[in-house]
């Protein structure tokens, strides 16, 4: 869906839904532009709503005026943005996505968003315009991919109304980011009968062609030649052969340092012989969210033409129980020569990432980020909406954390002390793939640290925020597309 940018009086904006943001009113009840302009056109209707206490400006508060003579738009939806000066990008996104979700329940509907000047120290007016475009892309796309009557419909036309300098560029950027998030969300939401290693690789190849990315797909024969014994062991219980996808964006020119983004792509995780329960397996189509996030981010990086070299890698497997499955007590040899004692086949994501991280290092990456729905322990520690960050380099960790803050996404640094590494030492191999019950998210990260050499590296455990268990007014259930914008911001920071 293309999103346009325009300016001019709101009374002339033609749309089925005109969404107008407004801040909390002060004790005088005076209205800021553009709300004051609408009030005049509507004969004081907005002022009367304020006087009656129906419009307070509380964050995400909304009020629909369905009959609006004096406006070219069919409906006017007023959306509260909270107290002036305290708005953040995360709060603004919550308010605007709530509004676009409300407007997207019918097909063939057009929508426009207009925002006041924010006067915020934490988000610029240009960033707000970009977020409005993100909300128009994301809010109208749902998870009902297989429903006869979808609950969400893409807008027939979408517009951001702003006279801020650089609005057109900001809208274009926000549109690209929203599309990238939707690509990630779609891949996560599709079932494992559709999305498996080969089909994910096909989708990545098509996306690369569309965006101008270099693409290489490593099949099982190539993976064997590349000594990816850890990854291939996980895949051997499935009839679906493994794949590794390698995407390259060469925006920085030949010889420039490269950032590698590595995504865990377990397209379905049964747990293998360490079989999950029925309840634990229900959402395991989402266990490839790291790979999907990498792909979404790489398409955005390419479309935005960022002047930086980025390599995107996805390790793609199914983890299934079979007579040929890898077993507890097996010792695997990873690409970098490390030997791994398998004590739980449901701790498979780290085995996949081990080889792909080592491969990224061998490709010459000078910075690494990996993303994975890696551990339930991280969800226990941080909840369902916060990404855990783990790193071997404080400076790089802080840079990625700053990128997350800029993107309005929640991330929290976790400890990486050597004592956690001691917990995964093995008596029969170099390391074992699980530690004790406690500190499970950290011991998983310490496992991955064995495969990045001395390269500055950040591990993002997105087990909580990548997949929402239910709908909320500001968020669709299913795949969320979290961390796509963080990855783009981190790449921009290196540029």
């Amino acid at each position: 869906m293309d999103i346009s940018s325009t300016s001019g009086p709101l009374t002339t904006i033609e749309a089925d839904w005109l969404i107008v943001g407004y801040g909390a009113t002060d004790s005088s009840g005076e209205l800021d532009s553009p709300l004051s302009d609408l009030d005049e056109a509507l004969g004081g209707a907005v002022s009367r709503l304020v006087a009656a206490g129906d419009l307070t400006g509380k964050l995400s508060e909304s009020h629909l005026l369905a009959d609006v003579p004096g406006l070219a738009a069919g409906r006017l939806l007023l959306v509260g943005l909270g107290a002036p000066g305290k708005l953040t990008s995360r709060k603004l996104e919550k308010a605007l996505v709530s509004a676009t979700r409300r407007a997207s329940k019918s097909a063939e509907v057009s929508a426009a968003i207009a925002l006041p000047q924010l006067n915020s120290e934490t988000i610029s007016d240009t960033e707000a315009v970009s977020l409005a475009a993100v909300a128009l892309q994301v809010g109208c796309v749902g998870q009902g991919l297989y429903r006869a009557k979808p609950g969400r419909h893409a807008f027939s036309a979408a517009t951001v109304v702003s006279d801020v300098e650089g609005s057109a560029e900001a809208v274009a950027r926000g549109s690209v980011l929203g599309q990238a998030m939707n690509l990630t969300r779609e891949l996560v939401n599709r079932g494992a009968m559709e999305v498996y290693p080969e089909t994910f690789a096909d989708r990545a190849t098509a996306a690369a062609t569309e965006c101008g990315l270099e693409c290489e797909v490593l099949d099982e024969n190539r993976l064997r030649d590349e000594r990816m014994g850890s990854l291939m062991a996980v895949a051997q219980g499935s009839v679906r052969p493994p794949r590794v996808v390698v995407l390259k964006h060469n925006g920085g020119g030949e010889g420039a340092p490269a950032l590698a983004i590595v995504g865990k792509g377990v397209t379905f995780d049964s747990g293998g012989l360490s079989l999950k329960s029925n309840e634990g397996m229900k959402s395991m189509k989402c266990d490839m969210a790291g790979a999907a996030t990498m792909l979404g981010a790489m398409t955005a990086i390419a479309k935005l033409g960022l002047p930086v070299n980025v390599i995107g890698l996805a390790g793609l497997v199914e983890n299934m129980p079979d007579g040929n499955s890898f077993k507890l007590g097996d010792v695997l040899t990873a690409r970098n020569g490390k030997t791994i004692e398998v004590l739980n086949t449901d701790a498979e994501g780290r085995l996949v990432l081990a080889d792909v991280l080592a491969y990224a290092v061998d490709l010459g990456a000078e910075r690494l980020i990996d993303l994975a729905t890696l551990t339930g322990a991280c969800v226990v520690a941080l909840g369902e909406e916060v990404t855990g960050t783990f790193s071997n380099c404080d400076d790089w960790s802080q840079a990625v954390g700053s990128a997350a803050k800029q993107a309005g996404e929640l991330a929290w640094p976790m400890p990486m002390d050597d004592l956690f590494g001691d917990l995964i030492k093995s008596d029969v191999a170099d390391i074992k793939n699980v530690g004790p019950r406690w500190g499970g998210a950290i011991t998983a990260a310490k496992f991955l640290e064995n495969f990045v050499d001395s390269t500055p590296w950040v591990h993002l455990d997105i087990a909580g925020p990548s997949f929402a268990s239910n709908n909320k007014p500001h968020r669709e259930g299913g795949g969320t597309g979290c961390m796509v914008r963080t990855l783009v911001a981190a790449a921009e920071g290196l540029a």
Side-chain angles (χ1 to χ4, degrees), residues 264 269 276 280 284 287 346-348 350 372-384 386 390 414 437 439-442 444 459 461-465:
K264 170 190 170 184
D269 181 20
K276 293 179 182 289
M284 282 301 100
D287 212 21
D346 196 21
E348 84 299 328
R350 65 201 70 182
T373 49
L374 204 63
T375 66
C378 198
V379 187
V380 172
L382 298 178
E384 294 185 331
V386 181
F390 308 77
M414 301 288 280
R437 178 181 179 186
I442 306 171
H459 161 58
D461 193 328
I462 58 173

Side-chain angles (χ1 to χ4, degrees), residues 165-189:
E165 185 177 354
S167 288
E169 294 80 4
V171 167
R173 172 185 168 81
S175 183
V176 165
L177 292 174
Q179 289 169 351
M181 292 172 66
N182 284 341
L183 171 60
T184 295
R185 293 171 63 207
E186 180 202 342
L187 287 168
V188 172
N189 286 335

Side-chain angles (χ1 to χ4, degrees), residues 188-447:
V188 172
N189 286 335
R190 290 201 177 276
M193 64 184 298
E194 273 192 87
V195 178
Y196 48 90
E198 293 161 292
T199 57
F200 187 106
D202 290 342
R203 188 67 180 273
T205 301
T209 300
E210 178 187 346
C211 300
L213 292 163
E214 291 183 19
C215 181
E216 183 181 14
V217 177
L218 283 58
D219 64 12
E220 60 268 41
N221 295 320
R222 177 71 182 279
L223 295 176
R224 191 173 295 108
D225 292 342
E226 294 292 348
R227 310 181 313 282
M228 296 198 188
S230 181
L231 179 151
M232 293 193 70
V234 178
Q236 69 190 37
S238 173
V239 297
R240 307 288 194 190
R243 295 288 184 267
V244 168
V245 170
V246 183
L247 304 171
K248 292 183 179 180
H249 169 72
N250 299 312
E254 187 175 353
L259 163 66
I261 300 171
V262 177
K264 170 190 170 184
V266 179
T267 57
F268 188 79
D269 181 20
S270 69
L273 294 182
S274 304
L275 194 67
K276 293 179 182 289
S277 67
N278 183 77
E279 193 65 29
M281 215 182 296
K282 282 181 180 178
S283 61
M284 282 301 100
K285 66 179 184 180
C286 82
D287 212 21
M288 36 63 71
T293 305
M294 178 281 293
L295 180 57
M298 288 299 293
T299 64
I301 288 167
K303 288 180 179 179
L304 294 172
L306 299 189
V308 63
N309 290 347
V310 186
I311 308 168
L313 304 99
L316 303 164
V317 301
E318 264 192 351
N319 184 25
M320 299 292 286
D322 181 79
N324 196 43
S325 296
F326 75 124
K327 304 169 182 68
L328 280 71
D330 284 353
V331 175
L332 313 178
T333 302
R335 174 184 172 82
N336 69 348
K338 290 270 187 178
T339 55
I340 305 163
E341 180 186 10
V342 176
L343 296 180
N344 188 331
T345 64
D346 196 21
E348 84 299 328
R350 65 201 70 182
L351 300 175
V352 173
L353 287 172
D355 280 335
V356 185
L357 284 167
Y359 188 66
V361 171
D362 290 343
L363 289 178
E366 297 188 22
R367 290 283 189 279
L368 290 169
I369 299 175
D370 80 72
L371 304 96
T373 49
L374 204 63
T375 66
C378 198
V379 187
V380 172
L382 298 178
E384 294 185 331
E385 303 208 16
V386 181
T387 294
T389 68
F390 308 77
S391 182
N392 63 354
C393 173
D394 289 342
D395 289 345
W396 181 224
S397 179
Q398 290 171 14
V400 174
S402 295
K405 186 175 182 179
Q406 177 186 335
E409 302 193 279
L410 299 177
W412 192 257
M414 301 288 280
M416 285 286 283
D417 299 277
D418 290 342
L419 65 92
F420 292 101
D422 294 338
L423 298 176
I424 55 170
K425 288 182 177 179
S426 168
D427 292 333
V428 301
D430 294 322
I431 50 175
K432 52 190 178 183
N433 76 323
V434 290
R437 178 181 179 186
W438 311 116
I442 306 171
T443 54
K446 293 300 286 186
F447 177 92

Side-chain angles (χ1 to χ4, degrees), residues 41-56:
L42 298 177
V46 178
S47 294
R48 290 192 292 273
L49 288 170
V50 172
D54 292 326
L55 287 184
T56 66

